[in-house]
Amino acid sequence: MNDYLSKFEALLVQLTDDERDEVVEFYREYLLDAGIDNYDDCVAELGLPKQLARKVLADYSIRLNENLSANTSKRPNVKNHKPTFVRSG
């Protein structure tokens, strides 16, 4: 299992350290709970490390895009905004 997770983790370089740690820990617990401890059984359950990494990265990409879309739709429309200057004194 450790070999599988090491290979998997190495493929997650696009994630932040915290995200990578969270994902790897999730799958470590999943495999432990399922009693899966050797590489071949991990592959049988989750696919090759590269396949699982692609799925995880795609999921994070979709979430990132959704979050960006949500944030941009909440921004005020500033195209026609004219700044107001306050004169002092």
Side-chain angles (χ1 to χ4, degrees):
M1 173 179 58
N2 290 332
D3 186 38
Y4 181 92
L5 291 173
S6 294
K7 290 179 181 182
F8 172 60
E9 183 174 12
L11 296 165
L12 300 176
V13 294
Q14 295 172 345
L15 300 180
T16 67
D17 290 344
D18 289 340
E19 290 169 334
R20 190 177 323 111
D21 291 346
E22 182 181 337
V23 169
V24 171
E25 187 57 31
F26 171 83
Y27 283 102
R28 181 181 317 282
E29 289 179 19
Y30 176 87
L31 293 169
L32 286 170
D33 288 346
I36 298 171
D37 61 357
N38 70 52
Y39 186 89
D40 291 334
D41 290 342
C42 291
V43 171
E45 181 71 19
L46 301 172
L48 293 170
K50 188 173 185 177
Q51 293 169 319
L52 182 59
R54 281 185 192 150
K55 290 177 186 175
V56 168
L57 292 172
D59 184 46
Y60 268 86
S61 177
I62 290 168
R63 280 197 232 162
L64 177 63
N65 289 336
E66 287 175 350
N67 288 340
L68 289 175
S69 294
N71 289 337
T72 56
S73 67
K74 292 179 183 176
R75 289 185 188 162
N77 184 358
V78 293
K79 288 181 183 176
N80 298 320
H81 176 72
K82 295 180 182 174
T84 305
F85 296 93
V86 177
R87 292 186 195 188
S88 62

